[in-house]
Amino acid sequence: MNKTITTDSGIEIKECYTSIDVLKAPPQEGLGEAPLEGLEEAPGTFPFTRGIQPDMYRGRLWTMRQYAGFSTAEESNKRYHYLLSQGVNGLSVAFDLPTQIGYDSDHALAEGEVGKVGVAIDSIDDMEALFKGIPLQQVSTSMTINATGFILLAFYVALAKKQGADLSLITGTIQNDILKEYAARGTYIYPPKPSMRIITDIFEWCAKELPKWNTISISGYHIREAGSTAVQEIAFTLSNGKAYVQAALAKGMNINVFGKRLSFFFNAHNNLFEEVAKFRAARRMWAHMMKELGATDEKAMMLRFHTQTGGSTLTAQQPMNNISRVTIQTLAAVMGGTQSLHTNGYDEALSLPTEEAARIALRTQQIVGFESGVADTADPLGGSYFVEALTSEVEQKAWELVAKIDAMGGSVSAIEKGFMQDEIARSAYEHQRKVESGDKIIVGVNKFTVDEKNTIPPFKIDDTIRLVQSEKLNKLKAARNSNTVAQCLSKIKTAAMDGRNLMPFVIEAVEKFCTLGEISDVLREVFGEHK
């Protein structure tokens, strides 16, 4: 009896694929385009199944980023200079948990967390130290920050102005994707409606003042890390993207303008062909979604995305095996057409990445880019019977989930009803059940195990970082004008209550040395906290 083999999303894989599988009947009405679509299209043409550029990486390789941030701004700055010296062409900033949820380092709830999973940023002074010696006009910066994304963007803008930069030339991204925080990750502050208002304020302000900045990175990464399948990752992410677009449209914004500054953030796991199919399907789906929402400019229909290799796939057992996993995931992202990529360090199941692990992770990208040949042609797996059929099956199953979410009233309602959370939890449970039963093999974990002692020294963060940050805050508060600070915070509160765009007031406040925690607290008074 032949064993049934499926992808990680449960799609059955046949022994062999032919043109018949690719040219099969279209899916159900309303659940996407016929699978035939995309077979003969050229890369760079609607609906962009084969990539958003005609020549893809022949013109320019993807942006090689390395996600980094830990301890103080000064320590993280040293890592950024090291990465830039090793060939990184885009920075990616990790922030600690207090920064992510709007608490200064000296707050009681920050104890034990300052500088641990990212860098602590309390004020404009910290932001200046973080980018010391790095001209913001000359580097693209991605900031993984959501609930306080508008404050970190304000710090960045204030610093760029201080450096004398032309804001119209500043490039980068803030994640700014609060819906996936409610569904999968948990670093939210305010309830969904005021959070969505802050996001559309950012869209509106950046369209006028920071035209090259990507105002949101709609994230499937954390949805996948929480345990979703590949199909759920793109279905939930694109549904969230649709909700952001609808919120911006409701505010009277032009989809052909803000649509060009939307970006996405996906995960890359080990099932090579399903991951490639996922990326191709997501592009096709988003192009049709944006067209249905009223976009007429094709550039506003293009799904541009950053990829990070799968953190949850890394194992503490036999950690050097993770180099192989990251290589497979890198190939999936590149053959799937990513615009930028971060590769994880082999030791990240044990601690923050050491300098050696970060270097090997970057070298993995460079070897794939310059030695493997996969970047020499656009969509190298396009036309494969298997990949084309799998792309269509992933798409069809994702459309079915999108239709369920639409029937609930969209992403916000689906999250409030717990639909996404329940679906992710079910998939996570099923995956763990298969690992524990041995149906899913994880090399070095449930098969091919060895008795081993970990010899990799972990990268540790000193608990005294909180004292260092607290001292900096005390000095800042002693030196600034307290009346000016009070006036700035009052202006933010008034703007929050009367519906004006918050960004100009927050930028003024950070320039006058208001802290991240103070700004967050003022808005907690107005908006409340999500429970």
Side-chain angles (χ1 to χ4, degrees):
M1 183 177 176
N2 289 333
K3 181 183 177 183
T4 299
I5 297 175
T6 68
T7 70
D8 291 341
S9 295
I11 297 169
E12 186 172 343
I13 299 173
K14 298 173 63 173
E15 284 187 1
C16 179
Y17 286 78
T18 69
S19 59
I20 295 170
D21 297 291
V22 179
L23 302 176
K24 64 185 179 182
Q28 303 168 40
E29 186 177 345
L31 298 180
E33 299 298 312
L36 179 63
E37 181 191 38
L39 266 183
E40 301 301 326
E41 77 186 43
T45 60
F46 182 89
F48 312 108
T49 313
R50 305 199 62 197
I52 63 170
Q53 302 292 344
D55 60 352
M56 284 305 290
Y57 306 127
R58 288 171 73 109
R60 183 170 73 91
L61 288 180
W62 62 94
T63 301
M64 296 184 188
R65 298 188 188 276
Q66 284 306 114
Y67 187 46
F70 53 86
S71 184
T72 62
E74 290 81 3
E75 287 301 310
S76 292
N77 176 260
K78 291 176 187 175
R79 177 66 66 91
Y80 295 156
H81 279 285
Y82 171 76
L83 290 170
L84 289 166
S85 76
Q86 294 299 305
V88 157
N89 47 18
L91 296 175
S92 186
V93 184
F95 298 96
D96 72 359
L97 282 173
T99 303
Q100 292 180 47
I101 54 176
Y103 294 119
D104 288 333
S105 297
D106 59 359
H107 193 284
L109 292 177
E111 187 168 359
E113 295 294 343
V114 177
K116 288 292 176 69
V117 298
V119 62
I121 299 293
D122 296 319
S123 72
I124 182 67
D125 286 353
D126 286 332
M127 188 62 91
E128 188 166 11
L130 187 66
F131 290 100
K132 185 178 180 181
I134 302 172
L136 300 191
Q137 194 170 308
Q138 296 173 24
V139 67
S140 170
T141 302
S142 171
M143 295 191 280
T144 303
I145 194 73
N146 297 285
T148 55
F150 65 108
I151 305 174
L152 273 299
L153 178 60
F155 284 146
Y156 197 83
V157 168
L159 178 58
K161 288 165 67 177
K162 193 171 182 179
Q163 288 185 354
D166 180 346
L167 294 187
S168 69
L169 300 177
I170 294 292
T171 61
T173 306
I174 43 170
Q175 191 163 100
N176 197 30
D177 175 9
I178 203 65
L179 290 178
K180 68 99 176 44
E181 295 295 330
Y182 302 119
R185 192 160 173 269
T187 62
Y188 44 72
I189 302 174
Y190 316 112
K193 286 183 180 176
S195 294
M196 292 291 279
R197 173 260 176 99
I198 292 170
I199 287 169
T200 55
D201 280 359
I202 294 168
F203 286 2
E204 188 175 57
W205 185 85
C206 287
K208 296 172 186 173
E209 306 294 340
L210 215 64
K212 290 191 174 182
W213 190 265
N214 295 324
T215 50
I216 194 167
S217 178
I218 305 156
S219 176
Y221 182 84
H222 301 98
I223 289 170
R224 192 67 176 279
E225 288 293 283
S228 82
T229 65
V231 165
Q232 290 169 335
E233 179 187 353
I234 60 169
F236 297 163
T237 305
L238 298 185
S239 289
N240 288 348
K242 186 176 182 179
Y244 293 125
V245 171
Q246 289 170 329
L249 289 172
K251 205 165 183 176
M253 296 177 65
N254 185 341
I255 192 171
N256 289 321
V257 175
F258 75 80
K260 295 175 187 175
R261 301 268 47 103
L262 304 177
S263 65
F264 288 81
F265 174 25
F266 290 123
N267 210 314
H269 273 220
N270 292 328
N271 195 316
L272 178 67
F273 294 108
E274 182 176 43
E275 293 300 293
V276 172
K278 175 189 78 177
F279 297 132
R280 297 172 93 249
R283 270 194 299 272
R284 192 153 77 199
M285 291 174 71
W286 186 246
H288 284 289
M289 272 189 182
M290 288 296 277
K291 194 170 187 178
E292 288 173 12
L293 288 164
T296 54
D297 187 328
E298 285 200 347
K299 287 189 176 179
M301 304 176 201
M302 291 179 179
L303 183 146
R304 298 170 299 114
F305 67 99
H306 169 72
T307 309
Q308 181 174 338
T309 56
S312 62
T313 69
L314 303 178
T315 64
Q317 300 92 330
Q318 301 178 34
M320 299 304 284
N321 293 346
N322 293 327
I323 297 174
S324 298
R325 294 185 176 101
V326 169
T327 303
I328 292 167
Q329 294 162 9
T330 300
L331 286 167
V334 171
M335 290 194 285
T338 193
Q339 276 60 68
S340 74
L341 178 62
H342 162 80
T343 35
N344 289 330
Y346 65 81
D347 56 359
E348 289 189 53
L350 301 167
S351 69
L352 289 170
T354 57
E355 199 168 272
E356 179 196 53
R359 182 175 67 248
I360 291 172
L362 175 60
R363 293 290 181 258
T364 302
Q365 290 199 55
Q366 291 166 336
I367 289 167
V368 168
F370 295 105
E371 297 185 28
S372 72
V374 298
D376 293 346
T377 187
D379 191 28
L381 293 179
S384 154
Y385 296 143
F386 178 37
V387 170
E388 295 295 352
L390 190 54
T391 299
S392 295
E393 285 203 66
V394 168
E395 180 186 7
Q396 181 179 350
K397 287 184 176 296
W399 277 122
E400 289 168 2
L401 279 173
V402 169
K404 286 182 180 179
I405 292 166
D406 285 345
M408 293 177 194
S411 275
V412 175
S413 295
I415 289 166
E416 287 174 343
K417 292 173 182 174
F419 172 73
M420 289 188 191
Q421 299 93 313
D422 289 347
E423 288 287 299
I424 293 167
R426 180 181 54 77
S427 295
Y429 171 79
E430 184 62 21
H431 171 79
Q432 188 60 31
R433 187 191 63 77
K434 288 179 179 177
V435 171
E436 291 179 6
S437 69
D439 290 341
K440 176 80 175 172
I441 292 172
I442 308 294
V443 174
V445 175
N446 63 358
K447 197 160 187 175
F448 313 114
T449 58
V450 294
D451 290 329
E452 59 180 332
K453 286 185 179 179
N454 176 40
T455 57
I456 298 172
F459 187 85
K460 289 187 176 179
I461 301 299
D462 195 325
D463 282 328
T464 61
I465 296 302
R466 183 166 183 254
L467 293 175
V468 173
Q469 285 297 112
S470 297
E471 286 174 12
K472 283 201 263 180
L473 280 165
N474 289 336
K475 288 179 182 177
L476 175 92
K477 291 175 180 179
R480 68 188 184 179
N481 185 313
S482 57
N483 289 331
T484 302
V485 167
Q487 289 169 7
C488 288
L489 295 174
S490 177
K491 287 180 186 178
I492 291 173
K493 186 173 184 177
T494 303
M497 291 189 292
D498 65 22
R500 282 176 291 166
N501 193 302
L502 289 169
M503 283 305 298
F505 301 101
V506 175
I507 292 168
E508 180 188 15
V510 302
E511 288 176 328
K512 301 298 184 184
F513 304 102
C514 293
T515 70
L516 173 133
E518 289 169 337
I519 295 167
S520 299
D521 284 346
V522 163
L523 294 178
R524 281 184 176 95
E525 291 175 26
V526 179
F527 298 145
E529 291 187 80
H530 182 69
K531 303 293 184 184

